[in-house]
Amino acid sequence: MGYKVLGRTEELLQGYGPRRGLEGPFVFATGRVLYYDVKEGSYWDPKTDFYVPHDEVSYLHNELMRMIEAQ
């Protein structure tokens, strides 16, 4: 198993903090920050104020795995 350093956590999450009712924030390999809404069962993007489609989240996860495998 490998890993990739995306940057310093405090820099990546600057301006993002805990939000009531949501899990996260989670930083993806692309630098995108999302929160997970357990009730909705979807990731929420605070920049757009929309839920992210499952296929897009799957793409973000796959990008992370590709970055790790490339190491």
Side-chain angles (χ1 to χ4, degrees):
M1 180 174 199
Y3 69 94
K4 180 163 180 77
V5 177
L6 300 174
R8 296 184 58 155
T9 304
E10 55 271 2
E11 291 171 5
L12 292 170
L13 294 176
Q14 187 175 21
Y16 298 98
R19 295 187 183 227
R20 189 171 27 171
L22 300 174
E23 294 180 2
F26 300 103
V27 179
F28 287 85
T30 60
R32 193 166 180 186
V33 178
L34 301 175
Y35 292 82
Y36 186 72
D37 186 338
V38 177
K39 288 183 181 179
E40 190 69 30
S42 295
Y43 283 89
W44 176 74
D45 186 342
K47 286 188 176 182
T48 63
D49 194 25
F50 285 104
Y51 287 100
V52 180
H54 292 287
D55 59 333
E56 195 171 331
V57 174
S58 180
Y59 171 78
L60 293 171
H61 282 288
N62 289 337
E63 283 298 305
L64 179 60
M65 294 309 294
R66 272 182 256 185
M67 288 177 72
I68 291 172
E69 289 171 355
Q71 294 296 313

